[in-house]
């Protein structure tokens, strides 16, 4: 059990240093992941940016993910759900375009229209505050592979065993602090799991991006 995301970030920082983990840039999954990642970026004096993938909900049952979209518009399809819901190709394309537009609008908001951190041929650390299923995270990883990063490391305070099994084959290294037998939701492993608002994401990213610009 973690007190809050800040504590989880400090503990992850200590673990990453203990195992000698090396990376060039940190990409946080907003919104909760940015708080955890901020602690790691401070501990390692490392560049920080965000990465965002979002699910495509079924037209009739939005809580069921048909797929996940990344900023470049590529879709990771959940074929079992798609077949079960009988979603046609044209409808899936329409949903994809809408979600991609939403992703890039939010990334622009978070970065205040600055350019993203350079990641090609660099070692990337992806950080979130926890992973339940790993489906959208898998889409984000595939996006980074298409961007030709040299190595992908993932660090999370807590993950389900199913997500760990799925994602450990997708990344070069996966660092986890807790992997409980019973996993209902990420929030159950935090004493304080208050919602992280857009303003906090923007403030953290503004601090790190402005620091990067002064270094250039």
């Amino acid at each position: 059990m973690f007190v809050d995301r800040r504590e989880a970030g400090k503990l992850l920082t200590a673990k990453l240093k203990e195992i000698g983990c090396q990376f060039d840039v940190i990409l946080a999954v907003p919104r909760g992941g940015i708080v955890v990642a901020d602690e790691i970026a401070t501990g390692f004096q490392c560049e920080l940016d965000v990465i965002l993938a979002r699910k495509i909900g079924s037209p009739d049952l939005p809580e069921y993910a048909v797929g996940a979209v990344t900023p470049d518009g590529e879709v990771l399809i959940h074929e079992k759900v798609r077949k079960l819901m009988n979603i046609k190709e044209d409808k899936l394309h329409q949903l994809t375009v809408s979600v991609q537009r939403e992703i890039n609008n939010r990334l622009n908001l978070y970065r205040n229209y600055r350019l993203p951190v350079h990641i090609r041929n660099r070692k990337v650390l992806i950080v979130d505050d926890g992973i339940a299923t790993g489906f959208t995270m898998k889409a984000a990883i595939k996006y980074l592979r298409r961007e030709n990063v040299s190595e992908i490391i993932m660090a999370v305070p807590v993950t389900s065993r199913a997500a760990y099994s799925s994602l450990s084959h997708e990344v070069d290294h996966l660092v986890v602090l807790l992997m409980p037998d019973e996993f209902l939701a990420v929030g159950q492993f935090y004493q304080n799991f208050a919602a992280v608002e857009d303003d906090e994401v923007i403030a953290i990213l503004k601090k790190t991006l402005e620091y990067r610009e002064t270094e250039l």
Side-chain angles (χ1 to χ4, degrees):
M1 175 75 72
F2 305 104
V3 173
D4 56 18
R5 294 180 180 91
R6 289 282 171 193
E7 185 198 47
K10 288 181 171 68
L11 292 171
L12 265 181
T13 301
K15 182 65 175 180
L16 290 166
K17 288 185 175 181
E18 177 189 329
I19 64 178
C21 201
Q22 296 183 345
F23 41 86
D24 302 310
V25 60
I26 301 170
L27 297 180
V29 179
R31 289 177 288 203
I34 192 79
V35 180
V36 180
D38 188 33
E39 292 293 336
I40 301 173
T42 300
F44 280 85
Q45 291 295 292
C46 186
E47 287 184 282
L48 173 63
D49 201 350
V50 287
I51 184 169
L52 193 56
R54 289 209 165 174
K55 74 173 185 178
I56 305 173
S58 165
D60 299 320
L61 295 169
E63 65 272 20
Y64 287 96
V66 177
V69 186
T70 49
D72 59 357
E74 288 292 319
V75 187
L76 178 64
I77 299 296
H78 201 311
E79 289 294 350
K80 289 183 179 178
V81 176
R82 181 185 176 184
K83 289 177 181 177
L84 182 65
M85 300 295 178
N86 193 29
I87 300 171
K88 304 301 183 184
E89 191 68 34
D90 58 342
K91 183 60 178 179
L92 181 62
H93 175 73
Q94 181 182 348
L95 292 168
T96 299
V97 170
S98 176
V99 174
Q100 183 194 10
R101 186 182 302 115
E102 181 184 348
I103 287 173
N104 285 298
N105 286 343
R106 189 147 297 274
L107 288 174
N108 285 331
L109 171 68
Y110 289 155
R111 293 180 178 132
N112 194 24
Y113 294 88
R114 290 180 174 87
L115 292 174
V117 167
H118 174 69
I119 59 173
R120 188 176 296 272
N121 297 322
R122 303 182 79 189
K123 294 182 179 180
V124 172
L125 176 73
I126 309 177
V127 178
D128 203 353
D129 56 9
I131 304 175
T133 68
F135 184 70
T136 55
M137 182 66 83
K138 187 177 290 189
I141 292 166
K142 292 183 180 298
Y143 166 72
L144 291 178
R145 295 294 186 197
R146 292 193 296 273
E147 291 294 303
N148 294 315
V149 301
S150 64
E151 187 175 328
I152 301 176
I153 306 160
M154 184 181 299
V156 291
V158 60
T159 180
S160 68
R161 292 188 178 276
Y164 183 91
S165 177
S166 175
L167 294 174
S168 60
H169 302 293
E170 301 289 336
V171 297
D172 298 288
H173 193 43
L174 178 52
V175 180
V176 177
L177 299 179
L178 293 179
M179 190 165 52
D181 291 326
E182 294 186 10
F183 192 111
L184 300 177
V186 173
Q188 77 184 93
F189 303 101
Y190 289 84
Q191 292 177 26
N192 178 1
F193 198 64
V196 177
E197 302 298 335
D198 285 341
D199 287 349
E200 187 172 358
V201 178
I202 293 167
I204 291 172
L205 210 55
K206 181 181 179 183
K207 175 186 66 177
T208 58
L209 291 177
E210 285 180 348
Y211 173 78
R212 181 186 72 181
E213 289 168 358
T214 61
E215 291 290 298
L216 295 176

